[in-house]
């Protein structure tokens, strides 16, 4: 992991031309301390910040929105030079972002979108286009299923901007392309493999062989469904399963035929882009209001030519 971060740090100027903001402090309200995607993003921010001479005060919400809103107040009280917020809710942080702007502290969002009402209080949003990911997932599953059949959606955290975008993009795209795929049910599993295992057991009990496809909002939840299916129906053909994030485990699942596709988004690129952007802002540089990271659909056709995200 350290080597991978170092390689990307060397190419960081390609992502954005961050300046050196010496003796500056950034408050980073992260989604969690320990998570397959969030942890490498956190580490990338720490590593790049050290290169930039920026002190990072990291506060972890541990996937609790109320904790995060309180931590925004802590950031403001510390009179930091900038704030990076990983929002878990589209609206809850707006008052805190407004207070930060009033205090003269620039804020950016990383990874997860918020409602448009937040835009006047932030300078930029960096990270994946989660709605586009939903669209890409719909196209992938539709192609694999020949445009018809029945599927279940295993969504992330209820009310989370990433969850909303990935589900809405998927459903909207199916309608847009005239797909005959029917969604049997959408359940939340909080981006957690064990929770996905539990809800998948229930889905399999209720729908059984009606489940011809599965759209999981991330690869960890896709793995939860795969484990539940193998447990409940050993030896039977796996439904077509797609996920998002591009984890190593997902690549292996694609190779052995347990998953059809995943969408690669790099947490390291996610973290580097965020810290570079807030550094540019602190240095007085202009940045775009929306700064995305690359997304790549991976199937069996290209699984050996694309690198996993983590």
């Amino acid at each position: 992991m350290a080597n991978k971060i170092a390689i990307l740090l060397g190419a960081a100027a390609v992502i954005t031309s961050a300046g050196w903001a010496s003796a500056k402090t950034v408050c980073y309200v992260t989604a969690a301390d320990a998570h397959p995607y969030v942890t490498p993003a956190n580490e990338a921010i720490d590593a790049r910040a050290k290169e930039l001479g920026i002190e990072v005060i990291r506060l972890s919400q541990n996937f609790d929105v109320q904790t995060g809103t309180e931590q925004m107040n802590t950031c403001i009280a510390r009179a930091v030079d900038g704030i990076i917020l990983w929002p878990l809710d589209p609206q809850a942080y707006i008052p805190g972002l407004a207070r930060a702007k009033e205090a003269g502290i620039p804020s950016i969002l990383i990874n997860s979108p918020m409602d448009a009402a937040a835009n006047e209080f932030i300078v930029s949003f960096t990270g994946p286009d989660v709605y586009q990911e939903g669209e890409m997932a719909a196209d992938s599953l539709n192609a694999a299923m020949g445009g018809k059949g029945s599927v279940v959606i295993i969504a992330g955290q209820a009310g989370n901007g990433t969850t909303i975008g990935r589900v809405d993009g998927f459903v909207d795209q199916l309608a847009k392309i005239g797909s005959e795929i029917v969604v049997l049910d959408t359940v939340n599993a909080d981006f957690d493999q064990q929770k996905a295992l539990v809800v998948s057991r229930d889905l399999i009990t209720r729908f059984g062989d009606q489940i011809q496809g599965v759209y999981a909002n991330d690869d960890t939840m896709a793995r939860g469904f795969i484990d539940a299916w193998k447990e409940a129906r050993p030896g039977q053909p796996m439904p077509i399963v797609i996920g998002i994030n591009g984890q190593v485990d997902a690549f292996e699942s694609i190779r052995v035929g347990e998953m059809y596709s995943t969408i690669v988004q790099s947490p390291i690129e996610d973290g580097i882009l965020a810290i570079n952007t807030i550094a540019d802002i602190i240095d007085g540089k202009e940045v775009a209001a929306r700064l995305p990271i690359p997304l790549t659909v991976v199937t069996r056709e290209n699984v050996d030519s694309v690198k996993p995200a983590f």
Side-chain angles (χ1 to χ4, degrees):
M1 177 63 70
N3 288 339
K4 189 172 183 182
I5 292 175
I7 291 170
L8 279 168
L9 288 178
V14 175
I15 300 174
T16 185
S17 56
W20 290 79
S22 60
K24 298 295 184 179
T25 302
V26 168
C27 197
Y28 172 34
V29 180
T30 184
D33 281 323
H35 180 270
Y37 186 91
V38 181
T39 299
N42 293 347
E43 292 173 349
I45 284 177
D46 289 344
R48 180 59 175 157
K50 187 175 181 180
E51 279 202 349
L52 294 170
I54 294 176
E55 177 189 357
V56 175
I57 302 170
R58 188 201 303 170
L59 305 175
S60 174
Q61 304 173 72
N62 288 318
F63 292 112
D64 182 78
V65 174
Q66 183 175 348
T67 298
T69 58
E70 293 169 355
Q71 289 170 340
M72 283 292 293
N73 292 330
T74 300
C75 292
I76 296 166
R78 293 287 296 268
V80 295
D81 297 291
I83 295 173
I84 300 173
L85 169 65
W86 193 313
L88 304 175
D89 181 273
Q91 297 178 330
Y93 307 88
I94 291 176
L97 291 169
R99 286 192 293 273
K101 184 175 181 179
E102 185 178 359
I105 303 172
S107 300
I108 68 169
L109 306 181
I110 177 177
N111 186 270
S112 300
M114 289 183 61
D115 284 352
N119 290 345
E120 65 177 294
F121 305 116
I122 65 171
V123 182
S124 184
F125 165 40
T126 69
D129 184 330
V130 293
Y131 186 87
Q132 182 186 7
E133 287 178 322
E135 294 177 317
M136 295 166 74
D139 287 336
S140 181
L141 192 58
N142 187 71
M145 295 180 64
K148 58 186 177 181
S150 52
V151 305
V152 293
I153 299 174
I154 303 177
Q157 190 177 38
N160 178 278
T162 294
T163 301
I164 293 169
R166 288 179 179 175
V167 172
D168 287 354
F170 179 83
V171 174
D172 291 350
Q173 182 67 2
L174 288 181
K176 187 184 300 182
I177 63 179
S179 175
E180 296 179 24
I181 288 176
V182 175
V183 177
L184 296 170
D185 199 4
T186 301
V187 296
N188 294 100
D190 298 346
F191 301 108
D192 181 273
Q193 183 172 327
Q194 184 60 34
K195 290 181 180 179
L197 175 69
V198 172
V199 300
S200 295
R201 286 169 176 161
D202 177 64
L203 289 169
I204 294 166
T205 298
R206 288 193 286 131
F207 297 112
D209 291 335
Q210 288 181 263
I211 303 174
Q212 298 168 298
V214 179
Y215 167 42
N217 276 181
D218 77 356
D219 292 337
T220 58
M221 295 188 296
R223 170 49 56 185
F225 178 87
I226 291 168
D227 290 345
W229 184 269
K230 292 165 70 174
E231 169 191 279
R233 296 172 176 262
Q236 293 193 24
M238 183 73 61
I240 296 169
V241 180
I242 64 174
I244 295 176
N245 278 355
Q247 297 175 209
V248 171
D249 178 69
F251 274 50
E252 292 306 314
S253 295
I254 289 170
R255 289 189 178 100
V256 300
E258 291 179 347
M259 281 183 69
Y260 177 77
S261 69
T262 184
I263 299 172
V264 173
Q265 66 167 65
S266 167
I268 298 172
E269 290 180 348
D270 209 353
I272 291 172
L273 180 57
I275 190 65
N276 279 353
T277 300
I278 198 68
D280 279 350
I281 293 166
I282 291 171
D283 284 348
K285 298 176 182 177
E286 293 290 328
V287 302
R290 181 69 177 95
L291 292 166
I293 60 173
L295 304 172
T296 305
V297 177
V298 175
T299 66
R300 207 162 189 170
E301 293 181 359
N302 63 343
V303 69
D304 293 320
S305 61
V306 179
K307 291 184 179 180
F310 58 103

